[in-house]
Amino acid sequence: MPQADDGVFDYIICGAGSAGCVLANRLSADPGNRVLLLEGGGSDNWIWLHIPAGYLFAIGNPRSDWMFKTAAEPGLNGRSLPYPRGRVLGGCSAINAMIYMRGQARDYDGWRQQGLAGWGWDDVLPYFLKHEDHEAPPNEFHSSGGEWHVEHPRIKWEVLERLRDAAEEAGIEKIDDFNSGDNTGSSHFQVNQKRGRRWSAARGFLKPVLSRPNLKVVTGALVDRVELRDGRAIAVRYRLGGETRLAEARGEILLSTGAVASPAILERSGIGDPSLLKANGVEPLVDLPGVGNNLQDHLQIRPVYKVNGVRTLNTDYANLFRRSMMLVNYALRRRGPLAMAPSQMGAFVRSSPEYETANLQFHFQPLSLDNWGEGLHPFDAITASVCNLRPTSRGSIHLSGPDAASAPDIRPNYLATDVDRQVAVDSLKWTRRIVSQPAMAAFNPQEHRPGAHIVSDEDLLVAAGELGTTIFHPVSTARMGPDGDRFAVTDERLRVRGIGGLRVIDASIMPTIVSGNTSSPTVMIAEKGAAMILEDAR
């Protein structure tokens, strides 16, 4: 296969997703830095990547989704799951639920307590604020003027407002803001939108700086591996069409391809567990057994309740006249169902008193379907999706051979521990507790999935395995760790251990998963990572 030389850059960024777009913006701000941004997917010039409700069409579509699948999961009764990842500029921020969520202060303080200086809540909050552009007036927890736009939802559903009342009757307090460090309670989700349009990382961070002459963006660039010499990362080998290309770095190479792709690139580069690399036809160069391990993800369990006497998206969308009015409303006002994120209302609660802070997150939705990418049910219904925020199960993502085009071997290992199995059972009981409150009685909710006849803990666990699916939050496959931690892939400055000039800057560096949606924490990681790179360069 022919090879072309792209020349030499100060920084090569692999992946133009939530993290890569931030890095490209910050590192190219100095005209003296020559920056190359490689994206394996294509352009985001598809209408459904900009209309918020377009996630229904983007997830499960090879135009915008890498279409990964997990191995058969024992904890999910042997099912294999679709594992969506964004395949366009903006990455997952172009197809996700748009929820702006930071997690809990205890998450980051826990990282600092693990020996990772500079990663406590007080340390990371300024990096969240640096790029935030919140529509609400600034206060100690929110700022305006940055690139990451945040709005309140532009639509409300009566059934969700009553569901929030029911949660209050069940003991879940109503709060105004999930992003102050303690998200216990119920509230409307804040979303990454601007005037009713999706606000992806590409739209916020990358597109405003595409005219910079020192920034080169290449789409359709499938990264094969990082070239190493004398203990240092010196170049990136990638495929573009039928051609193999080589880009050299005089500064640093930054992997920002996410928790699925970043460990596979490391392994194809000879960095990882030597025995696993040899088994996959790769010569081991750096012994880092933690690469690809420690996978954590939020398993969402999706109970569905039929309702009566109240509108939901299911039958609104099925009605041709109402669907036409949705289009008119969106075209004229950027409002209505087409402007909505999948979930408008959420709640955080402790599954049992033994937890100090909320360990369950509810995503309440005025719709129902069997799987994302499939059609809505033909009856009015709501979904009360609930996930375990701090799973104790650990999985893995590894390469499945030396070819970059081969899909990785994804094994989340959901519900592998007694703790996680108990939380799954308790979460279904919490859902029933909320929906059975008087505030919902007027809509006569009937449990469609898993079904009210399922009552024993054993049967509820089986039901959790049937209903459980990823909520698209894989992290920690190249986790940070202090010196002396043999299974830490990166240090507190996101440098890959044992290699100079190579960092991982994406969700895979999280030592433990955050207690909420992972998109904006990933943007924060990139913001902080860029500051570290520039500081170290000085």
Side-chain angles (χ1 to χ4, degrees):
M1 189 176 291
Q3 177 172 307
D5 192 337
D6 282 351
V8 182
F9 297 83
D10 295 288
Y11 300 104
I12 301 175
I13 305 164
C14 302
S18 299
C21 289
V22 177
L23 293 171
N25 180 301
R26 298 300 188 244
L27 297 179
S28 67
D30 181 346
N33 291 332
R34 189 167 184 234
V35 179
L36 173 64
L37 177 62
L38 301 174
E39 167 55 40
S43 170
D44 64 345
N45 60 350
W46 186 33
I47 188 171
W48 292 118
L49 299 176
H50 303 285
I51 296 175
Y55 65 89
L56 289 168
F57 308 101
I59 292 176
N61 188 315
R63 177 171 181 170
S64 49
D65 183 353
W66 284 101
M67 304 292 289
F68 295 134
K69 286 185 175 294
T70 71
E73 281 288 293
L76 303 186
N77 307 332
R79 292 186 298 128
S80 171
L81 299 182
Y83 217 65
R85 296 284 88 192
R87 193 179 184 174
V88 294
L89 290 175
C92 291
S93 73
I95 67 171
N96 69 3
M98 297 162 281
I99 292 174
Y100 181 74
M101 183 71 62
R102 297 170 180 167
Q104 299 172 5
R106 73 173 301 281
D107 301 329
Y108 304 98
D109 289 343
W111 295 1
R112 183 175 56 196
Q113 290 161 11
Q114 293 179 43
L116 298 167
W119 288 95
W121 171 252
D122 292 339
D123 302 310
V124 303
L125 182 58
Y127 292 99
F128 279 113
L129 296 175
K130 180 178 179 180
H131 53 245
E132 188 182 28
D133 184 28
H134 205 291
E135 70 171 357
N139 58 38
E140 62 179 314
F141 296 116
H142 292 291
S143 61
S144 60
E147 297 90 350
W148 199 223
H149 195 75
V150 183
E151 289 186 343
H152 296 292
R154 296 167 69 86
I155 183 173
K156 288 188 177 183
W157 295 82
E158 180 187 0
V159 68
L160 297 189
E161 298 304 314
R162 298 293 77 76
L163 196 56
R164 190 183 184 199
D165 292 340
E168 185 177 42
E169 291 172 339
I172 302 174
E173 179 185 3
K174 293 180 179 179
I175 63 173
D176 293 328
D177 187 1
F178 283 139
N179 290 297
S180 63
D182 180 4
N183 51 22
T184 303
S186 76
S187 192
H188 298 93
F189 286 123
Q190 299 163 37
V191 291
N192 290 118
Q193 294 181 12
K194 188 166 187 177
R195 291 190 288 275
R197 292 188 66 202
R198 175 187 289 273
W199 193 260
S200 71
R203 190 177 174 200
F205 293 95
L206 183 60
K207 292 187 176 182
V209 301
L210 283 176
S211 61
R212 289 176 179 170
N214 61 326
L215 173 62
K216 180 179 180 180
V217 180
V218 181
T219 57
L222 185 62
V223 173
D224 181 6
R225 64 185 185 272
V226 176
E227 298 282 349
L228 309 179
R229 182 190 301 155
D230 299 327
R232 185 171 183 84
I234 61 165
V236 173
R237 192 178 301 276
Y238 68 96
R239 299 180 190 176
L240 186 63
E243 189 176 48
T244 296
R245 304 188 67 90
L246 187 73
E248 297 182 48
R250 56 174 159 253
E252 296 195 56
I253 295 170
L254 315 170
L255 297 187
S256 298
T257 48
V260 173
S262 286
I265 293 173
L266 288 172
E267 290 176 333
R268 288 197 299 272
S269 306
I271 304 168
D273 184 328
S275 60
L276 185 146
L277 299 183
K278 290 178 182 177
N280 282 279
V282 176
E283 179 187 358
L285 299 176
V286 181
D287 183 358
L288 273 183
V291 172
N293 293 321
N294 196 49
L295 171 63
Q296 299 162 53
D297 190 12
H298 290 144
L299 177 73
Q300 63 168 334
I301 304 169
R302 297 179 53 80
V304 172
Y305 290 83
K306 292 182 177 180
V307 291
N308 295 286
V310 66
R311 290 176 64 176
T312 70
L313 186 60
N314 286 14
T315 54
D316 271 13
Y317 186 77
N319 183 291
L320 183 59
F321 174 76
R322 289 181 181 176
R323 194 189 314 174
S324 300
M325 289 300 99
M326 289 181 201
L327 292 170
V328 171
N329 194 11
Y330 187 78
L332 297 179
R333 304 173 62 239
R334 293 290 188 266
R335 293 186 178 275
L338 289 181
M340 67 181 250
S343 308
Q344 294 80 55
M345 187 77 68
F348 292 79
V349 67
R350 294 182 298 161
S351 64
S352 69
E354 66 188 271
Y355 293 92
E356 294 181 6
T357 61
N359 69 311
L360 296 181
Q361 179 181 6
F362 284 92
H363 291 78
F364 296 126
Q365 300 161 348
L367 56 87
S368 67
L369 68 174
D370 288 331
N371 295 294
W372 293 112
E374 298 181 7
L376 300 174
H377 288 146
F379 46 79
D380 280 313
I382 59 170
T383 301
S385 171
V386 59
C387 69
N388 177 0
L389 290 170
R390 294 190 288 277
T392 57
S393 301
R394 297 292 183 266
S396 64
I397 298 178
H398 293 294
L399 81 171
S400 60
D403 189 344
S406 298
D409 181 28
I410 304 172
R411 299 177 182 270
N413 204 28
Y414 298 119
L415 300 179
T417 67
D418 290 339
V419 171
D420 288 356
R421 290 190 285 268
Q422 185 60 56
V423 171
V425 170
D426 290 343
S427 68
L428 287 171
K429 292 178 179 178
W430 251 108
T431 307
R432 288 174 171 175
R433 178 178 174 183
I434 294 170
V435 177
S436 66
Q437 296 300 318
M440 288 291 291
F443 307 138
N444 189 30
Q446 300 294 314
E447 188 172 310
H448 176 65
R449 300 178 69 191
H453 62 285
I454 297 175
V455 293
S456 71
D457 284 7
E458 293 79 6
D459 289 343
L460 285 171
L461 181 59
V462 172
E466 287 296 325
L467 298 181
T469 186
T470 177
I471 203 168
F472 323 133
H473 297 165
V475 305
S476 303
T477 49
R479 70 171 176 86
M480 289 189 290
D483 292 344
D485 183 347
R486 173 164 166 70
F487 292 94
V489 178
T490 49
D491 66 12
E492 64 194 37
R493 298 187 75 78
L494 312 183
R495 297 171 296 202
V496 176
R497 293 188 174 276
I499 293 291
L502 180 61
R503 304 194 202 216
V504 178
I505 304 181
D506 57 32
S508 61
I509 64 89
M510 294 185 188
T512 51
I513 196 166
V514 293
S515 301
N517 307 72
T518 54
S519 177
S520 288
T522 301
V523 172
M524 177 278 293
I525 288 167
E527 185 77 82
K528 185 171 171 63
M532 290 175 172
I533 292 167
L534 295 172
E535 182 180 26
D536 290 349
R538 290 194 291 270

